[in-house]
């Protein structure tokens, strides 16, 4: 059967055209679909009856366009668009880019579930051939890990996976997944651990071979009622706090614009200098890199482990810049 003589197929094609942000003359739509202008008008009425807000303009020719409505209609993507979106979502999710939250991972899970095998292969090939700009902590994630977890959260389905703790211990876990949480630097899974009979947080970059067991569960009540708050409290308990004191040879406004907000605001000590005194729970390595990225001269007064680490890091960087001298 010719797809254009099949009303459902023709409506899908018409909707796909209207989702392009432009106005379509009725005559052009009729030509594209090999039907009469009268059929186009009937099809537009059918789309409106289904809830799609199609706007018509008056005139000798007349035109149609899809406008923003009160509900999100299904998007119809061609092959190139689907691949582009999947690659973009994978890149963002796999490297925990700030602003890419759980909703993006859910969208990726839904998209990859319906992608034909030929398009899934293209997405994997493109990502394998792309080297992303590293964030500095090396915590990259296979996007498939995130999509499996996001799907299990949505379907309230138990998960099994291997987990490597901070000291390198390997364990097998079975959990009831509650939420995925992005901190901007890393992804975490908040879940009820059936083996420990308690709530736990898991760094997703330490998870291996996750799979949904097919066993459904009734969601438990999280103690804090909010996954992000639970993760924050959990991290606060696990990581010691550092009292940091750093002087910068640059104006306070310059330094503040280049530091994460949670580190606080430096106090001016002169027209071209400032000092930052703050209390943080970030890792020593990450803090040192953030200070270096301010891109000005600075002096770390405390803590002692920060000054020692910066001294060692500086020596390594000096040797890396002059390998012939080191040899």
């Amino acid at each position: 059967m010719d797809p254009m003589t099949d009303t459902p197929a023709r409506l899908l094609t018409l909707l796909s055209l209207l989702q392009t942000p432009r106005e379509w003359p009725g005559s052009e739509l009729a030509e594209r679909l090999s039907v009469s202008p009268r059929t186009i008008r009937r099809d537009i009425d059918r789309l409106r009856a289904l809830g799609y807000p199609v706007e018509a303009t008056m005139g000798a020719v007349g035109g149609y366009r899809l406008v923003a409505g009160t509900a999100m209609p299904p998007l119809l993507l061609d092959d190139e668009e689907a691949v582009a979106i999947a690659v973009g979502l994978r890149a963002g999710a796999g490297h925990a880019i700030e602003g890419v939250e759980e909703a993006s991972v859910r969208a990726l899970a839904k998209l990859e579930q319906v992608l034909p095998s030929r398009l899934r292969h293209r997405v994997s090939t493109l990502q394998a051939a792309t080297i992303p700009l590293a964030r500095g902590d090396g915590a990259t994630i296979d996007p498939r890990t995130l999509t499996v977890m996001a799907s299990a959260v949505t379907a309230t389905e138990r998960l099994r996976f291997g987990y490597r703790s901070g000291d390198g211990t390997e364990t097998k876990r079975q959990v009831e997944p509650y939420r995925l949480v992005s901190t901007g630097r890393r992804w975490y899974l908040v879940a009820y651990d059936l083996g420990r009979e308690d709530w736990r947080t898991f760094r997703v970059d330490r998870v291996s071979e996750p799979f949904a067991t097919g066993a459904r569960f009734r969601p438990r009540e999280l103690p804090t009622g909010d996954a992000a708050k639970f993760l924050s409290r959990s991290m606060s308990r696990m990581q010691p706090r550092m009292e940091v004191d750093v002087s910068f040879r640059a104006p306070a406004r310059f330094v503040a614009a280049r530091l994460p907000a949670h580190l606080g605001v430096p106090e001016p000590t002169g027209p071209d200098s400032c000092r930052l005194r703050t209390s943080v729970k970030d890792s020593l390595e990450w803090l040192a890199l953030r200070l270096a990225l301010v891109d000005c001269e600075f002096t770390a007064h405390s803590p002692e482990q920060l000054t020692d680490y910066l001294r060692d890091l500086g020596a390594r960087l000096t040797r890396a810049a002059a390998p012939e001298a080191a040899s």
Side-chain angles (χ1 to χ4, degrees):
M1 177 185 293
D2 183 347
M4 293 307 102
T5 63
D6 178 28
T7 300
R10 191 177 63 249
L11 286 175
L12 286 173
T13 304
L14 175 59
L15 182 58
S16 179
L17 291 172
L18 291 172
Q19 285 180 345
T20 303
R22 55 161 289 193
E23 185 172 292
W24 289 89
S27 57
E28 186 176 348
L29 290 174
E31 183 179 351
R32 286 280 193 118
L33 301 180
S34 301
V35 295
S36 68
R38 183 179 180 182
T39 299
I40 290 296
R41 288 194 294 272
R42 286 201 302 264
D43 287 348
I44 291 294
D45 289 339
R46 290 188 179 101
L47 289 177
R48 288 169 176 162
L50 292 171
Y52 294 100
V54 182
E55 185 180 80
T57 56
M58 304 302 292
V61 178
Y64 302 97
R65 66 188 183 96
L66 192 65
V67 299
T70 58
M72 176 68 185
L75 291 176
L76 299 175
L77 305 173
D78 62 28
D79 286 4
E80 301 301 327
E81 293 165 343
V83 169
I85 292 174
V87 169
L89 288 173
R90 274 191 172 197
H95 297 274
I97 294 174
E98 195 164 357
V100 179
E101 305 298 342
E102 185 191 349
S104 297
V105 178
R106 292 200 308 270
L108 178 59
K110 290 177 182 178
L111 182 57
E112 293 202 336
Q113 184 177 7
V114 298
L115 279 180
S117 58
R118 70 178 191 283
L119 297 187
R120 285 199 298 270
H121 176 71
R122 285 179 60 185
V123 170
S124 299
T125 300
L126 276 171
Q127 189 171 22
T130 304
I131 301 176
L133 180 65
R135 290 179 58 84
D137 60 5
T140 57
I141 304 167
D142 184 344
R144 287 172 297 183
T145 297
L146 283 171
T147 56
V148 168
M149 289 183 167
S151 297
V153 168
T154 302
T156 59
E157 197 171 340
R158 288 179 179 173
L159 272 175
R160 288 185 185 273
F161 53 81
Y163 191 71
R164 174 178 49 82
S165 63
D167 62 7
T169 303
E170 302 276 355
T171 55
K172 297 292 184 181
R173 303 296 183 98
Q174 181 175 197
V175 305
E176 294 176 353
Y178 183 78
R179 288 290 187 276
L180 280 166
V181 181
S182 169
T183 65
R185 294 166 54 212
R186 294 192 179 99
W187 282 98
Y188 292 84
L189 174 69
V190 175
Y192 186 84
D193 191 318
L194 295 170
R196 275 70 176 173
E197 297 184 341
D198 200 3
W199 290 94
R200 291 288 190 271
T201 60
F202 301 93
R203 267 180 54 173
V204 176
D205 59 297
R206 293 177 177 169
V207 169
S208 61
E209 300 180 352
F211 70 94
T213 64
R216 304 293 292 273
F217 65 91
R218 178 177 296 177
R220 302 170 190 262
E221 185 175 347
L222 188 67
T224 62
D226 181 85
K229 188 179 297 184
F230 181 84
L231 174 64
S232 179
R233 291 182 182 179
S234 177
M235 294 176 69
S236 296
R237 290 194 299 267
M238 291 187 297
Q239 202 164 20
R241 185 170 289 278
M242 287 190 293
E243 301 299 324
V244 178
D245 185 2
V246 182
S247 296
F248 298 90
R249 295 184 188 176
R253 181 179 297 180
F254 175 91
V255 174
R258 287 160 175 77
L259 285 176
H262 78 274
L263 290 181
V265 180
E267 293 290 331
T269 55
D272 295 310
S273 63
C274 60
R275 191 158 185 164
L276 177 69
R277 294 183 177 92
T278 186
S279 179
V280 300
K281 282 180 169 287
D282 295 304
S283 70
L284 191 66
E285 297 81 3
W286 182 85
L287 179 60
L289 289 173
R290 290 303 311 184
L291 294 174
L293 288 173
V294 174
D295 198 24
C296 70
E297 296 287 332
F298 69 93
T299 301
H301 305 289
S302 65
E304 185 178 353
Q305 58 265 41
L306 175 60
T307 60
D308 291 343
Y309 182 82
L310 286 168
R311 190 178 299 111
D312 292 342
L313 178 62
R316 290 199 301 272
L317 292 174
T318 299
R319 291 193 298 270
E324 67 281 355
S327 59

